[in-house]
Amino acid sequence: MKDVDDSRAPLMDHLIELRRRLIWSFAALLVAFGVSFYFANEIFSFLVQPLVDAFGPGQGKLVYTKLYEAFFVEVRVAFFAAFFLAFPVIANQIWAFVAPGLYSKEKRAFLPFLIATPVLFLMGGALAYYVVMPTAFEFFLGYQGNLGGIEQEALPSIGEYLSLVMHFILAFGIAFLLPVLLMLLERAGIVTRDQLKRGRRYAILVAFVIAAVATPPDVLSQFMLAIPLICLYELSLVAIWFTERRRAREKGTELL
């Protein structure tokens, strides 16, 4: 029991500590929102760049049909950016609350997952922003032109565009957390590497189902999410194999 922190406390002390961590997290989110709202136009300019590139220089425009829509878009942009800015503080507060109740080995096992989560999420979001969104937007804008004697023009709404961008980034970011999920399940003893290997064909099917639900209804976007998911599944199997070997070595050392 020596490797457990000495800071075990009664229930009321835990609740007080939880309240303190929540206050710090909320304060960080509030400060990040204020900063993000101040730079909301610059942030939205960054988010709209894939559409600008798809339209071409000096082409295309965004419209809003409700007088308050542009203002609430800025609020949503600020909240969206604030979450990313405040996440390091929020994650640190979660760790500070959970860590005292963990054994030293549990801390060493849990900390890599806490670090890998934002890294993988950003990788998924970057894939959506730099690869998938430009490709999808060019595909969608390809339907502009003369259609049966009438001109067909894309006039996306500013609110709908932001929703689409957020949907893309969140869908790809969350999907890229698959290795963390699988390794946590294996660590908890819910699944084994052999079970995951045997379920590979079902995993491929599930990857395409997730891609079909999480992306717009075009085949290209779906493949751009499904293929990385399948690769991440295989990467998870390799990572679990390494962790199994490390645990086996540690058990052998303890027996000696």
Side-chain angles (χ1 to χ4, degrees), residues 161-178:
Y161 175 76
L162 179 62
S163 297
L164 181 61
V165 169
M166 291 170 61
H167 181 86
F168 263 120
I169 293 175
L170 290 175
F172 276 76
I174 293 172
F176 266 58
L177 299 182
L178 178 64

Side-chain angles (χ1 to χ4, degrees), residues 132-144:
V132 180
M133 284 163 49
T135 306
F137 293 163
E138 286 185 12
F139 172 77
F140 295 145
L141 293 176
Y143 286 93
Q144 291 187 110

